[in-house]
Amino acid sequence: MPRYTVHVRGEWLAVPCKDTSETVRWLGREALRRYIKNKPDNGGFDSVEDVKFYLRRCKGLGLLDLDDTIEDALEDNEFVEVVMEGDVMSPDFIPSQPEGVHLYSKYKEPDEYIILDGESLTTQDLLNLGKGLYKIKLSPDAEYKVSQARLLIDSIVQEHKVVYGITTGFGKFARTVIPVSQLKDLQVNLVRSHSAGVGKPLSPDRTRMLMALRINVLAKGYSGISLETLHQVIDVFNACCLPYIPEKGTVGASGDLAPLSHLALGLIGEGKMWSPKSGWADAKYVLQAHGLKPVSLKPKEGLALINGTQMITSLGCEAVERANAIAKQADIVAALTLEVLKGTTKAFDTDIHALRPHPGQVEVAFRFRSLLDSDHHPSEIAESHRFCDRVQDAYTLRCCPQVHGVVNDTIAFAKNIIHTELNSATDNPMVFAERGETISGGNFHGEYPAKALDYLAIGVHELASISERRIERLCNPSLSELPAFLVTDGGLNSGFMIAHCTAAALVSENKALCHPSSVDSLSTSAATEDHVSMGGWAARKCLRVIENVEHVLAIELLAACQGIEFLRPLRTTTPLEKVYDLVRSVVR
């Protein structure tokens, strides 16, 4: 029998439908009837007939015609929402769709798989998994290692050994031994109590990255999770069923406990969950709609799901990839600005940079030589001022290899740490099947990625800092020899005046965001966890810094293209003309 999941004022109701030739109006009334029946005060209504309402799909929020038949308007197991006329949306109501849902409105289930083995995941792989481009499979070797580790956990339980997190409490309660009959309750209680995060939920992409990375760590075979449970987690990922994971609440040691607990909470069928099919709904209904069963946690499995640095590392993975992209773009944008300001290419001479051979500096100087005036790519703009009386350019133009260069080296440093972290076991205790023992350690501590991401934020910020100064030079007629604020009829038109102000505001905001979060530590868990990394905030603010950098460089790119208009009919080099054409394909 077809069944529909209907949301009414914060409640989710399963409504069976014997006859799909009934109307959408019937479905709404039946859901309201069940809602009123279950409320002590009848939900504030005398009868269903008193209620004026409309229905909309949870997926895409499309309104439904109440007179359409159910079989014509809805798919089996679809999620819909009843909205009462005159209702005011509760401020704490979870919206039916996360931000950027338009990107998911045409979600297509991927056909290709990435094989995870806990050893070889790259930052680009994780980004692609976040975008929903691949499903996940385990390698045979990973399956074997996971199974062997689980055999050791089962023997510990059967032999009534006292082992942290398996037969004891957690943190301050590590000395409290738990009876075998309550070991499953221990794991469920752990997940429930630790699901204490706050804030907006992670986006679908970031949730998928977090899930995929946790699966990769479990695939290493040192966590003690059963192969059956791990396959269930993979099935949930492959169905794009994404738990509600608040972005705030981790101190980055013992791992990212709060966000990973919210992940585990959805897997056991509790809390909220989102999928492209359902929108936000109770996790048990979302799993059911995709033919999945909630995970039933065995001893150690709750701890195996929540103990690690995967929140910091997955966000850090996005940060290093975006930073790498914007660093390359910064060189192109700066080269275009140098052309507009009639700068010289002499500062990028190979011999200069050979005398100070930092890899990033050498690389940036090479990029500038590739983009600017040369025998291979002549520039009419450069030729027009070849014999001017200027000796050297301002630092914002002349020192790009030195300033942009260290950003490249910073990104390489951070990426190396993040890549190691992607394929590291970060549980506690560690399950060593080959040694037949579990060992408590501190691999869950997030100091490595926290420090790397603080450093990355400081490094990447400099791209915006120097870019904002170049925007000033473009807009200031005494420095650019171009019309003030890059506009004709100045006064009537203000041109790039406030675009530059926006860049300045973002650079100032970044100055505060670049204060390292990992220099802070607050003792938690009754001084058991007496030093923490604060890596969650390091990762989140690093992404905010990078987003601001992207905006500032976009403003410089627009300003540089505007500046070229005042130098026409002269043309710049072929590569930079292609950049100009690309911008003009979307911006007049």
Side-chain angles (χ1 to χ4, degrees):
M1 183 191 304
R3 186 185 63 82
Y4 301 91
T5 305
V6 186
H7 184 263
V8 184
R9 283 188 172 173
E11 300 286 341
W12 289 96
L13 305 162
V15 181
C17 178
K18 292 180 181 177
D19 183 5
T20 55
S21 64
E22 294 277 10
T23 63
V24 171
R25 179 180 281 103
W26 174 87
L27 179 63
R29 282 182 174 159
E30 180 62 16
L32 283 168
R33 185 186 69 76
R34 290 165 182 255
Y35 173 79
I36 290 169
K37 178 184 174 184
N38 290 325
K39 290 291 179 182
D41 62 349
N42 294 329
F45 301 106
D46 294 329
S47 72
V48 173
E49 305 304 321
D50 298 336
V51 184
K52 292 183 179 179
F53 63 89
Y54 62 88
L55 262 74
R56 63 185 179 195
R57 281 189 174 87
C58 289
K59 178 183 177 182
L61 302 182
L63 286 173
L64 295 165
D65 189 320
L66 297 179
D67 295 322
D68 282 347
T69 63
I70 292 171
E71 60 189 352
D72 288 339
L74 297 172
E75 299 173 11
D76 183 21
N77 260 339
E78 190 150 357
F79 287 64
V80 294
E81 199 165 40
V82 175
V83 183
M84 264 77 86
E85 193 175 278
D87 266 5
V88 177
M89 189 65 76
S90 166
D92 56 359
F93 172 66
I94 300 170
S96 288
Q97 307 291 348
E99 291 179 37
V101 71
H102 59 281
L103 301 175
Y104 279 73
S105 59
K106 297 179 181 178
Y107 174 79
K108 184 181 178 184
E109 193 172 305
D111 299 319
E112 296 184 56
Y113 287 82
I114 280 182
I115 309 296
L116 294 186
D117 58 7
E119 307 290 341
S120 54
L121 186 68
T122 67
T123 52
Q124 190 59 55
D125 287 340
L126 191 60
L127 233 60
N128 288 336
L129 285 164
K131 292 173 183 174
L133 301 180
Y134 297 97
K135 291 182 179 179
I136 289 173
K137 282 183 182 176
L138 291 181
S139 72
D141 187 47
E143 291 187 336
Y144 175 76
K145 289 191 289 186
V146 168
S147 298
Q148 292 302 111
R150 186 64 209 179
L151 288 175
L152 178 57
I153 299 298
D154 291 341
S155 70
I156 288 170
V157 174
Q158 288 164 10
E159 294 168 20
H160 300 277
K161 292 181 179 178
V162 178
V163 178
Y164 173 73
I166 303 173
T167 56
T168 74
F170 309 97
K172 189 70 175 174
F173 298 121
R175 296 182 181 180
T176 304
V177 179
I178 309 297
V180 172
S181 62
Q182 294 181 310
L183 292 185
K184 287 188 177 182
D185 290 341
L186 172 69
Q187 300 300 316
V188 173
N189 290 346
L190 171 73
V191 170
R192 287 173 178 161
S193 68
H194 284 39
S195 297
V198 298
K200 289 164 40 174
L202 295 179
S203 68
D205 284 12
R206 289 174 180 172
T207 304
R208 286 175 64 88
M209 287 173 69
L210 179 60
M211 287 185 72
L213 184 52
R214 192 61 207 162
I215 290 167
N216 188 60
V217 170
L218 295 170
K220 288 185 75 69
Y222 295 95
S223 305
I225 196 168
S226 68
L227 190 57
E228 175 195 3
T229 297
L230 184 51
H231 277 147
Q232 277 187 278
V233 178
I234 292 170
D235 289 342
V236 172
F237 176 90
N238 289 343
C240 198
C241 297
L242 308 178
Y244 182 94
I245 303 174
E247 64 179 6
K248 300 177 183 179
T250 176
V251 294
S254 163
D256 296 316
L257 290 173
L260 287 170
S261 295
H262 282 278
L263 170 60
L265 193 69
L267 295 173
I268 66 173
E270 299 184 15
K272 301 295 180 185
M273 190 175 261
W274 182 90
S275 81
K277 177 179 180 179
S278 66
W280 286 114
D282 288 349
K284 60 182 178 182
Y285 291 131
V286 178
L287 293 171
Q288 197 175 65
H290 290 81
L292 301 170
K293 292 182 178 179
V295 170
S296 177
L297 296 174
K298 304 175 184 67
K300 173 67 166 73
E301 290 193 327
L303 189 58
L305 286 168
I306 74 170
N307 204 192
T309 61
Q310 284 66 57
M311 167 89 156
I312 308 170
T313 308
S314 59
L315 294 182
C317 176
E318 179 186 340
V320 294
E321 287 297 322
R322 283 173 67 178
N324 192 47
I326 197 62
K328 289 183 172 70
Q329 292 164 29
D331 295 342
I332 298 168
V333 174
L336 194 59
T337 295
L338 183 136
E339 272 286 87
V340 173
L341 295 175
K342 298 182 178 179
T344 178
T345 60
K346 289 181 180 178
F348 313 119
D349 188 282
T350 308
D351 289 343
I352 290 177
H353 300 285
L355 297 176
R356 196 192 192 198
H358 292 294
Q361 178 177 331
V362 171
E363 183 182 2
V364 172
F366 172 77
R367 284 190 201 145
F368 270 73
R369 291 194 303 273
S370 302
L371 292 163
L372 293 168
D373 182 57
S374 65
D375 293 339
H376 188 57
H377 292 305
S379 163
E380 293 175 0
I381 295 174
E383 189 61 36
S384 72
H385 62 87
R386 189 171 302 283
F387 303 106
C388 69
D389 58 359
R390 251 188 291 179
V391 178
Q392 57 188 17
D393 292 321
Y395 290 177
T396 49
L397 303 175
R398 197 191 338 159
C399 298
C400 282
Q402 291 79 4
V403 177
H404 289 202
V406 73
V407 178
N408 282 264
D409 289 341
T410 303
I411 294 167
F413 169 80
K415 187 170 184 175
N416 183 56
I417 287 179
I418 294 298
H419 184 263
T420 300
E421 199 75 6
L422 288 178
N423 297 289
S424 295
T426 54
D427 292 74
N428 184 52
M430 292 290 190
V431 182
F432 292 94
E434 66 277 12
R435 289 172 58 171
E437 64 179 319
T438 62
I439 305 175
S440 287
N443 277 5
F444 52 72
H445 202 296
E447 201 70 23
Y448 261 102
K451 281 282 187 283
L453 294 170
D454 276 339
Y455 184 26
L456 181 63
I458 292 167
V460 176
H461 159 69
E462 211 57 43
L463 295 176
S465 180
I466 196 170
S467 173
E468 182 274 329
R469 289 292 82 203
R470 289 192 298 262
I471 297 168
E472 157 67 9
R473 298 192 78 82
L474 286 166
C475 291
N476 188 332
S478 64
L479 300 174
S480 68
E481 299 176 7
L482 296 169
F485 305 110
L486 302 171
V487 71
T488 53
D489 299 326
L492 176 64
N493 301 310
S494 296
F496 277 72
M497 182 187 294
I498 304 305
H500 172 234
C501 288
T502 297
L506 294 173
V507 168
S508 182
E509 184 176 302
N510 274 1
K511 289 175 186 174
L513 290 172
C514 283
H515 179 80
S517 68
S518 62
V519 300
D520 186 26
S521 176
L522 293 170
S523 178
T524 60
S525 192
T528 307
E529 297 159 7
D530 58 345
H531 182 277
V532 299
S533 72
M534 298 300 178
W537 176 226
R540 288 192 296 115
K541 72 183 184 62
C542 183
L543 283 166
R544 282 176 59 179
V545 167
I546 292 167
E547 182 179 339
N548 287 344
V549 172
E550 290 166 346
H551 286 312
V552 172
L553 280 157
I555 292 168
E556 184 188 354
L557 177 59
L558 292 175
C561 288
Q562 182 79 349
I564 280 186
E565 307 292 356
F566 295 106
L567 302 180
R568 293 303 194 205
L570 299 178
R571 296 180 67 79
T572 181
T573 63
T574 301
L576 293 179
E577 283 290 344
K578 287 185 177 180
V579 174
Y580 168 87
D581 290 340
L582 180 63
V583 172
R584 286 290 174 257
S585 71
V586 291
V587 181
R588 287 190 301 158

